[in-house]
Amino acid sequence: MATLNFFDNYILMAIAEEIVPAQTFFRDRYFPTGEGDVFAADKVLTEYRRGDRKMAAFVSPRAGDIPMDRVGYEIHEYQPAYIAPSRSLTTDELKKRGFGEALYPGMQPAQRAARLLKQDMEDMDKRIERREEWMCAQVMINNACEMQEYIDGKTKGEKKYVKFFDSASEHSFTPAAKWNAATGNFFGDVRAMAQLLSRRGLPAADLVLGIDAADAVLELEKVQRMLDKNSGIIIGQIEQQLSPYHGVTYMGTLNFGGHKLNLISVDETYEDEDGQEKGYFPATASMVTAPGCGHLMYGQITQIDYGSTEFTDHAGRRVPKFILDQDHDSRKLRLGSRPLAAPKNYCPYIFAGDVVG
């Protein structure tokens, strides 16, 4: 009878697939992974097109019809940077009581190995998810993402840079004055940002605000006055509530010249390579966009699996690998991923930095 080996790759893949992903705001709301976004190749293809707002022409009966051009689109090929956290495994850990485990569980080493493997993969998966969340936010803020590779925990290696389109003027908006200044024009500026999208045939549904910008908006006298039910103008409703995403608050809705937008405050943070806490979204910035404006793709990972001598290609969001180093009497578990966040259309978000001061 064959002995079950928890380090076989097909078992590790099954354990990885059982991990329930944590909810992250930018990735889940704006960059979902759909069918066709997991590539069986080292490189992924990004496609986006400009919105079409042309009208059909009036046609003379003698002409019959007027040919219509197809809307063009851009396609680019990128090789996503590699993400691969790992954790060492020791024989002692298979014998001692684990965190949250009963004092006298009677658990066998094989059972404890399965538990440790799943917990280790969950921990590594969370770190990859934070990197994916950072990548999605960077693409929306900068139209680009800079990926610094590391040789070890501190030594920097190659730096990869992905940029999706060159025109900063079509992606960014600069208010004439801060929104909380005497001459600020909060409603006019946000309306102008939404119109930049609608003129391209793209939806405007969300107004994403950094924590300082969100606080300043709630303090604006015009916002408070127009939300007053006795004012005679129905402009929206502010009713703050927590969201399923950590550090994200749904503030309510406001109407900007017919564009009814969800106001969302973002104060989500992460810890960078130097141990510094940083925000995914600038505290004084804002952005107008819509859910599903992009997608998160994955390139395949090629590796020699445990117990094999041949290279194997794995197409998936997460690819685990067990590594045994007999010379140094060590072993470790690695979880690999090759994600790339990309827009679905040309400039589907309008970013404005430092809108309050």
Side-chain angles (χ1 to χ4, degrees):
M1 182 177 180
T3 303
L4 182 63
N5 190 337
F6 287 107
F7 304 126
D8 287 340
N9 192 259
Y10 75 93
I11 295 180
L12 296 179
M13 292 286 287
I15 295 174
E17 290 176 359
E18 290 296 319
I19 297 174
V20 179
Q23 292 181 307
T24 57
F25 174 66
F26 289 103
R27 184 193 65 178
D28 294 349
R29 187 171 181 86
Y30 302 115
F31 291 83
T33 299
E35 185 178 354
D37 288 334
V38 179
F39 288 75
D42 294 335
K43 298 182 180 181
V44 300
L45 298 177
T46 65
E47 301 175 273
Y48 49 86
R49 65 174 70 195
R50 294 178 181 268
D52 179 17
R53 301 185 68 245
K54 294 182 179 179
M55 294 191 300
F58 294 106
V59 182
S60 168
R62 289 175 292 179
D65 57 63
I66 299 293
M68 186 181 80
D69 294 334
R70 296 188 182 277
V71 178
Y73 64 94
E74 296 184 44
I75 182 168
H76 300 272
E77 185 181 68
Y78 297 103
Q79 184 173 28
Y82 184 42
I83 302 173
S86 65
R87 178 170 285 173
S88 298
L89 300 170
T90 67
T91 304
D92 292 341
E93 290 174 323
L94 299 181
K95 297 178 180 179
K96 67 182 181 181
R97 172 183 172 272
F99 177 77
E101 186 178 319
L103 187 59
Y104 301 104
M107 186 175 290
Q108 298 299 315
Q111 295 173 305
R112 188 170 285 113
R115 176 174 176 168
L116 280 173
L117 284 172
K118 187 174 185 297
Q119 183 61 57
D120 288 344
M121 275 199 273
E122 286 177 350
D123 293 343
M124 290 185 282
D125 185 72
K126 288 177 182 177
R127 294 204 177 187
I128 296 175
E129 287 172 342
R130 295 186 194 103
R131 178 59 70 183
E132 291 172 340
E133 179 78 346
W134 173 87
M135 179 182 290
C136 294
Q138 287 295 302
V139 169
M140 299 183 82
I141 293 169
N142 302 312
N143 273 342
C145 183
E146 185 177 276
M147 295 167 281
Q148 175 65 63
E149 296 180 345
Y150 280 81
I151 299 173
D152 52 38
K154 297 181 179 180
T155 307
K156 294 183 178 180
E158 182 182 353
K159 184 180 293 185
K160 292 186 176 180
Y161 184 76
V162 176
K163 190 173 181 65
F164 296 101
F165 25 79
D166 296 327
S167 178
S169 62
E170 294 188 75
H171 160 260
S172 60
F173 180 87
T174 304
K178 306 289 187 184
W179 290 347
N180 54 349
T183 56
N185 187 10
F186 167 62
F187 284 99
D189 289 338
V190 176
R191 178 182 180 181
M193 294 167 70
Q195 286 176 336
L196 287 175
L197 292 179
S198 62
R199 287 170 184 165
R200 300 176 199 150
L202 300 176
D206 292 348
L207 173 59
V208 180
L209 298 166
I211 186 63
D212 291 349
D215 291 342
V217 165
L218 294 179
E219 295 295 326
L220 293 178
E221 181 182 352
K222 187 175 182 180
V223 172
Q224 296 177 356
R225 185 174 67 251
M226 298 187 76
L227 286 171
D228 186 350
K229 295 181 180 179
N230 297 322
S231 67
I233 302 175
I234 301 176
I235 193 174
Q237 181 179 5
I238 295 296
E239 185 180 357
Q240 297 188 76
Q241 55 182 317
L242 296 177
S243 76
Y245 309 107
H246 178 71
V248 177
T249 302
Y250 291 146
M251 301 171 60
T253 59
L254 288 178
N255 196 311
F256 300 88
H259 297 279
K260 190 175 182 180
L261 303 182
N262 303 301
L263 271 65
I264 304 174
S265 171
V266 179
D267 191 26
E268 190 181 13
T269 62
Y270 65 92
E271 185 178 306
D272 68 7
E273 291 83 357
D274 299 323
Q276 301 295 317
E277 185 177 5
K278 295 182 178 180
Y280 288 100
F281 195 77
T284 59
S286 69
M287 179 168 54
V288 175
T289 186
C293 60
H295 55 154
L296 189 60
M297 301 171 291
Y298 295 88
Q300 76 174 12
I301 293 176
T302 302
Q303 62 186 30
I304 299 177
D305 295 331
Y306 174 66
S308 175
T309 59
E310 303 294 332
F311 285 100
T312 304
D313 297 330
H314 297 281
R317 294 177 62 253
R318 305 286 188 265
V319 178
K321 179 178 179 178
F322 176 71
I323 302 169
L324 177 64
D325 186 347
Q326 292 180 319
D327 288 342
H328 298 89
D329 296 318
S330 66
R331 56 184 182 176
K332 64 183 177 181
L333 180 66
R334 185 179 77 194
L335 192 61
S337 185
R338 287 188 180 273
L340 181 69
K344 288 183 178 178
N345 295 285
Y346 186 84
C347 293
Y349 24 71
I350 306 298
F351 177 79
D354 295 325
V355 295
V356 299

